[in-house]
Amino acid sequence: MKLRTFSKILIVIGSLGLVAGCSNTIRGVGQDTANAVDATQNAGQNVAQAAR
C-alpha cells in the first residue's frame, strides 16, 4: 500500500472519530438540559404545594 493511500485512510478514520465524539457530546448536553428542566419543574411544584 502506498503512503498516500494509507494517509487518506487515516484521515477518513480520524474524521469519523471526531464526528462520533461530537455526536456523543451533543446528546449529553441534551440530556443535561432535559434534567435541568425537570428539576426546575419539580422545584416549582414544591413551592406551589408549600404555598397552599
Side-chain angles (χ1 to χ4, degrees):
M1 191 182 301
K2 293 182 181 179
L3 181 61
R4 186 175 180 145
T5 304
F6 186 68
S7 65
K8 286 181 182 179
I9 291 171
L10 285 177
I11 289 171
V12 169
I13 290 172
S15 298
L16 290 175
L18 286 173
V19 169
C22 289
S23 66
N24 286 336
T25 302
I26 291 168
R27 278 191 220 121
V29 169
Q31 290 172 353
D32 290 343
T33 303
N35 289 338
V37 169
D38 290 341
T40 304
Q41 287 176 341
N42 288 336
Q45 290 173 353
N46 290 342
V47 170
Q49 288 177 353
R52 287 184 193 173

